[in-house]
């Protein structure tokens, strides 16, 4: 799981152009949106693309996205349970 | 009388602020790398910069330099400043980037790239950053045209509440950067005349070989 979280942080930094950040700057359990990383709606769409591109996961139920994208830890958990990489 | 209060010129190999070359020291690199180097040399803390397309980055940096040189208040909502920009290649540089994400074999359209597939996004970025709520416009022309720029700015001043216009040329395509941003104020005592001749002088002198300040400007 630790390895997965580190990979995910690196991928998020790259796809969201968070150039001034390192994986160490991102708290596993901090909120991704508004607080914490302060991501916005366009970033959310990029995360959906990332899940599909890197882990072949298509989010079928938009209602679950709020919980999946709550933090790095919840994202990693979801990928581990549903991903194919 | 309309006056140019401050201006910034950025090309592939020059950076000029109010006649002073390399105001943030020498910067290395080309294209996006060079724009990022300018951002870092300016010691800005605006993470959204890294998400912008190259056109927005170039226009943003030039506007930052102009506004900082005028000690512009970025915290107060401003309805008296208009934004008037133009270029020739629209958002083609970023459009091609987006097109590359539409590859049939690797089809992952990028939302973050898509949002910059309009040239006027640069005016939005500048307006958001500086709380500018005046009119904004972006024109696409065959090439740099000082006469038209002068007309567009005059039109912006036709709106009574507009007292100054941040305007210019923001062109970026395939690593080629060509930017001139000016702050023009209506009824200003300082600065130099905002006329077609002076606009052309600023545009066609990216290295600052001519000292405009020795004419009528008073910074």
């Amino acid at each position: 799981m630790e390895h997965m979280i580190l990979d995910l942080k690196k991928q998020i930094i790259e796809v969201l152009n968070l150039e001034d950040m390192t994986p160490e700057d991102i708290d596993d359990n901090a909120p991704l949106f508004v607080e914490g990383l302060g991501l916005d709606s366009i970033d959310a769409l990029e995360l959906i693309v990332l899940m599909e591109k890197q882990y072949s996961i298509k989010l079928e139920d938009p209602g679950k996205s709020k919980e999946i994208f709550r933090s790095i830890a919840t994202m990693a958990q979801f990928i581990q349970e549903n991903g194919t990489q | 009388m309309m006056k140019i209060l401050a201006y910034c010129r950025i090309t592939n190999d020059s950076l000029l602020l109010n006649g002073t070359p390399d105001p943030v020291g020498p910067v290395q690199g080309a294209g996006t790398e060079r724009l990022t180097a300018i951002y870092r040399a300016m010691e800005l803390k605006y993470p959204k910069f890294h998400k912008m397309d190259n056109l927005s980055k170039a226009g943003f940096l030039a506007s930052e330099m102009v506004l900082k040189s005028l000690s512009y208040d970025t915290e107060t909502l401003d309805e008296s400043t208009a934004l008037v920009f133009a270029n020739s290649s629209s958002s083609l540089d970023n459009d091609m980037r987006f097109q590359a994400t539409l590859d049939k074999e690797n089809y992952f359209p990028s939302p973050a790239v898509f949002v910059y597939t309009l040239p006027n996004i640069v005016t939005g970025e500048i307006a958001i950053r500086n709380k500018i709520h005046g009119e904004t416009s972006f024109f696409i022309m065959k090439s740099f045209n000082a006469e038209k720029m002068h007309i567009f700015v005059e039109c912006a001043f036709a709106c009574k509440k507009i007292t100054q216009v941040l305007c210019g040329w923001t062109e970026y395509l395939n690593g080629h950067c060509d930017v001139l941003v000016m702050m023009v104020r209506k009824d200003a005592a300082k600065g130099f005349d905002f006329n077609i001749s002076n606009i052309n002088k600023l545009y066609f002198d990216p290295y600052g070989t001519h000292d405009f300040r020795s004419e009528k400007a008073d910074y």
Side-chain angles (χ1 to χ4, degrees):
Chain A
M1 189 60 150
E2 256 182 51
H3 186 65
M4 158 80 76
I5 284 176
L6 181 61
D7 280 352
L8 194 52
K9 285 178 180 177
K10 286 177 183 170
Q11 288 160 357
I12 287 174
I13 286 170
E14 188 187 341
V15 300
L16 301 186
N17 292 310
L18 305 176
E19 292 202 11
D20 295 327
M21 298 199 83
T22 64
E24 293 73 31
D25 295 328
I26 304 174
D27 187 322
D28 296 359
N29 297 298
L32 291 176
F33 295 91
V34 189
E35 302 165 58
L37 273 187
L39 305 184
D40 60 23
S41 56
I42 301 298
D43 296 323
L45 294 172
E46 281 296 334
L47 292 183
I48 291 170
V49 173
L50 184 152
M51 296 268 262
E52 190 174 340
K53 193 173 181 178
Q54 299 293 334
Y55 302 101
S56 305
I57 297 174
K58 276 199 173 187
L59 295 183
E60 305 290 351
D61 182 359
K64 287 183 179 171
S65 57
K66 198 173 175 183
E67 180 52 30
I68 295 166
F69 294 122
R70 193 170 58 79
S71 67
I72 294 287
T74 57
M75 263 187 89
Q77 183 70 34
F78 183 79
I79 290 168
Q80 195 166 56
E81 291 167 1
N82 299 275
T84 58
Q85 194 196 38
Chain B
M1 175 76 79
M2 291 183 288
K3 299 275 191 181
I4 299 170
L5 302 188
Y7 73 97
C8 178
R9 187 83 171 93
I10 304 177
T11 67
N12 285 0
D13 57 0
S14 73
L15 176 52
L16 200 63
L17 176 63
N18 300 330
T20 304
D22 301 324
V24 292
V27 285
Q28 306 298 318
T32 310
E33 192 185 326
R34 181 162 181 268
L35 295 177
T36 302
I38 295 170
Y39 168 85
R40 297 203 192 286
M42 290 176 74
E43 299 180 343
L44 297 173
K45 299 288 177 208
Y46 195 64
K48 198 166 186 288
F49 171 83
H50 300 297
K51 295 175 185 284
M52 296 178 194
D53 69 329
N54 290 316
L55 174 63
S56 294
K57 281 180 178 174
F60 173 87
L61 291 172
S63 69
E64 281 289 297
M65 289 201 198
V66 166
L67 294 173
K68 277 186 188 301
S69 78
L70 295 169
S71 301
Y72 180 84
D73 175 10
T74 62
E75 297 303 319
T76 306
L77 191 150
D78 176 9
E79 292 185 325
S80 64
T81 300
L83 300 173
V84 178
F85 286 85
N87 79 0
S88 66
S89 66
S90 184
S91 57
L92 186 58
D93 186 75
N94 192 66
D95 295 349
M96 291 189 292
R97 254 185 87 205
F98 182 67
Q99 189 178 36
T101 72
L102 304 177
D103 179 48
K104 278 182 184 172
E105 305 300 317
N106 190 27
Y107 186 80
F108 292 103
S110 167
V113 178
F114 175 74
V115 294
Y116 287 97
T117 55
L118 284 170
N120 57 324
I121 302 299
V122 62
T123 60
E125 293 289 5
I126 296 167
I128 291 166
R129 163 70 163 171
N130 299 291
K131 294 189 171 61
I132 294 172
H133 285 218
E135 294 292 327
T136 70
S137 50
F138 196 102
F139 297 88
I140 299 165
M141 300 187 279
K142 194 173 180 182
S143 60
F144 178 80
N145 187 316
E147 289 88 349
K148 283 182 180 165
M149 180 59 64
H150 191 264
I151 291 169
F152 297 153
V153 171
E154 275 190 324
C155 288
F157 280 129
C159 178
K160 291 261 187 292
K161 68 179 179 183
I162 298 299
T163 59
Q164 58 183 9
V165 180
L166 187 67
C167 60
W169 181 256
T170 51
E171 173 68 25
Y172 193 100
L173 181 61
N174 290 331
H176 174 68
C177 181
D178 183 17
V179 173
L180 168 65
V181 171
M182 302 168 279
M183 178 63 97
V184 179
R185 191 168 294 165
K186 188 164 63 174
D187 304 325
K190 293 182 176 181
F192 50 92
D193 295 350
F194 180 68
N195 56 39
I196 294 163
S197 171
N198 280 342
I199 299 169
N200 273 324
K201 282 179 186 171
L202 296 185
Y203 181 77
F204 290 107
D205 185 28
Y207 303 103
T209 52
H210 184 88
D211 187 0
F212 294 95
R213 291 170 295 183
S214 64
E215 294 182 355
K216 290 183 177 177
D218 181 9
Y219 289 104

